Amino acid sequence: MSTPYPFTAIVGQDDLRLGLLLNAVSPAVGGVLVRGEKGTAKSTAVRALAALMPEVSVVPGCRFSCDPLSPDPACPDGPHAEAAGVSRAARTVELPVGASEDRLVGALDIERALSEGVKAFEPGLLADAHRGILYVDEVNLLHDHLVDLLLDAAAMGASYVEREGVSVRHAARFLLVGTMNPEEGELRPQLLDRFGLTVEVAASRDTDERVEVVRRRLAYDDDPEGFAARWAEEETALRERIGAARALLPRVVLGDGVLRQIAATCAAFEVDGMRADIVMARTATALAAWAGREEVTADDVRQAALLALPHRRRRNPFDAPGLDEDKLDQTLDEAGPQENQENNDGDDDPDPGPDGGGDGGGGGGVPPQADGDRTPPPAEDDDTPSQAPDSAPDAPGRSAGAEQQPVAAAEPFRTKMLSVPGLGEGAAGRRSRARTAHGRTTGAVRPQGALTKLHLSATVQAAAPHQRARGRSGRGLVVRRDDLRQATREGREGNLVLFVVDASGSMAARKRMSAVKGAVLSLLLDAYQRRDKVGLVTFRGKEAEVALPPTSSVDAAAARLESLPTGGRTPLAAGLLKAHDVLRVERLRDPSRRPLLVVVTDGRATGGPEPVALAGRAARLHQAEGTASVVVDCESGYVRLGLAGELARELGGTAVTLDELRADSIAGLVKDVTAAGRAA
């Protein structure tokens, strides 16, 4: 085994190290999520923590790490007789994002269960991580079915494996630690809430600190064992401090005044549920123990809030986590002891923020934000040239070369579900019908590899005719490998949703473009909830560009959309051709992920020779390849030309207006997208 990088040798990253150490002191804190850009020592710090964790006492020979003082009565290796435990290091188990369900929860031998009545169970990673650390690198890329299993285990403290009526249960209590790069997508809210703390990390901009990072890393790479030996004394001291804090933890007093501050803080920041209050209380207690104190102070509560609340305040995936520190300080003062308030009565008020209340920086190194509110669009005069009628795209003030400043998006809304027709085989998601590992059973086939989902009735039917020939004499069914049948299931898949957005002068009216951006933002939010990949192509002036290559990060797409300028002519054909190139490359990269093309335009095409005919030919390219498409018709006004509907027919898709896109409109709840060139 390679020598891990010493925890004490990590330069900077104070929040990261504190979050991990508090969980080492009190595993009840509930783990930590580490968010940050690539190359910021996230994985290095988590792996280094393992060497500092106190040893655990386990029942000898138990594969499920039962505590000898209170063994699990339902342990598959039990019941355990009274015996002295053996000590070993706490494990750090890594869960790969591409792991199978059996690798996570364990595998049950169905063939032996049916023929012999034996629960032959091979433990998975959850069993290995019991009473240790379960580490998930790139946790935001974890497949949904694995996330569901993690949520179940975290909620119940146990893992259940059930196959056709055969069930195995074992304890699974672990410290969940995840690292992620937000550029690659966000976490599901349910899993996000399961992390007790969150910390934001970023590379230092201090030259001397960066030099020291490089110097230490090069020294470690040249001689890992020698480098670790030079830090052995610091590692031992830190390990002893963790042990002392653990011993002190039961004696730490959490007073009523401090509890009131915790409750007031959670209420002031409008966090959902009560888990935040509990996590803050446990974190504040761990902070006091870490400092060697037997009483929790207001400073502990403040630090606990900066670690436990930012990720619980997010209302949608486009909100960056963070905390207004001025508001936090004010809340703690108001909920604190009365004498503190009296002492502060004579103090001068701090300088107010831009809107009258301090708009402080975000906790834990997070940039400041104003409660997640979007900047409103600037005030406008209805008579400005940007408000010219839609029927005059090249009117004065909106010439072909004119570029207008970006406008803010309107408030997002819940959209109708747009789905790709047919039955796919892509990654699990929530949009289109597909053959998946989970869902309703639709049939049975011979397994190609390891059996994962047994179709019991089909297996019995395959084995029944051969019982006499196999010499069956007892009550058990004689089952052989050839009899086993794999269940085929139908569920939902995630798609590649490629947005092609018209940013030309004909779309540039501020109120109109704000509504268009709000509609695209709503579709992006829907794509996030349905676990899609998204991409963004824009066109205006003389060309089209890929504003965002296909990615799982819908908040990156939202950021590009927010800063999108408008103006110029309408090269519709260029936008469709650029989208065709993007989809061609993506089909080579991921053939199983089916695309959904969403064109947001009023249908106009200007600039160059025969722009309308050229746009029609570009649209028919998508139709010929069977790309499912929908055109969001942004035309407004009393006189409508119906150009977006004509474009939808050329694409072989469907056209919807901005009003029809809303889920609560009277046009219906679901609008399926028709695919071109597909036989009925």
Side-chain angles (χ1 to χ4, degrees), residues 362-599:
V366 181
Q369 61 176 23
D371 289 341
D373 291 339
R374 298 186 175 278
T375 303
E380 304 173 41
D381 187 345
D382 291 340
D383 296 327
T384 56
S386 63
Q387 297 292 331
D390 294 335
S391 59
D394 296 324
R398 202 187 302 171
S399 63
E403 178 177 304
Q404 302 187 28
Q405 293 300 316
V407 298
E411 190 69 22
F413 52 84
R414 190 168 65 91
T415 67
K416 291 175 180 162
M417 189 179 79
L418 306 174
S419 61
V420 178
L423 196 63
E425 295 181 347
R430 298 192 181 94
R431 184 172 297 278
S432 304
R433 293 174 53 222
R435 298 183 184 91
T436 60
H438 301 270
R440 64 185 182 89
T441 301
T442 58
V445 295
R446 290 180 181 270
Q448 298 299 316
L451 180 71
T452 56
K453 298 292 183 181
L454 178 75
H455 195 295
L456 182 59
S457 60
T459 299
V460 172
Q461 290 176 12
H466 308 291
Q467 296 304 296
R468 182 174 297 177
R470 293 173 182 173
R472 173 186 173 186
S473 58
R475 299 176 59 184
L477 189 67
V478 181
V479 179
R480 294 181 180 173
R481 176 70 185 175
D482 291 343
D483 301 327
L484 300 179
R485 295 294 183 268
Q486 176 85 19
T488 57
R489 298 177 180 242
E490 182 179 311
R492 293 278 173 177
E493 68 177 358
N495 298 110
L496 166 59
V497 182
L498 181 62
F499 294 92
V500 182
V501 179
D502 185 349
S504 65
S506 67
M507 302 280 288
R510 284 187 172 269
K511 290 182 180 178
R512 183 179 178 196
M513 198 60 199
S514 178
V516 168
K517 285 187 175 183
V520 178
L521 197 64
S522 303
L523 290 167
L524 284 170
L525 182 58
D526 181 69
Y528 164 76
Q529 293 168 343
R530 300 190 188 281
R531 314 302 289 173
D532 295 317
K533 289 181 68 175
V534 296
L536 180 63
V537 173
T538 63
F539 60 93
R540 66 186 182 91
K542 296 182 179 179
E543 60 185 12
E545 65 172 349
V546 180
L548 183 71
T551 175
S552 297
S553 178
V554 295
D555 52 340
R560 303 293 172 88
L561 178 73
E562 194 76 16
S563 60
L564 178 67
T566 58
R569 295 190 179 274
T570 312
L572 177 57
L576 294 174
L577 291 174
K578 182 67 72 174
H580 183 268
D581 291 341
V582 171
L583 294 181
R584 176 178 54 81
V585 173
E586 286 302 309
R587 284 189 180 99
L588 296 175
R589 290 178 177 171
D590 190 357
S592 63
R593 188 181 287 270
R594 298 186 293 163
L596 173 61
L597 183 68
V598 179
V599 185

Side-chain angles (χ1 to χ4, degrees), residues 201-220:
V201 296
S204 172
R205 299 297 183 257
D206 181 80
T207 301
D208 292 338
E209 194 168 292
R210 294 175 74 97
V211 168
E212 187 61 24
V213 170
V214 174
R215 181 182 291 118
R216 293 186 186 184
R217 187 69 208 192
L218 292 177
Y220 170 78

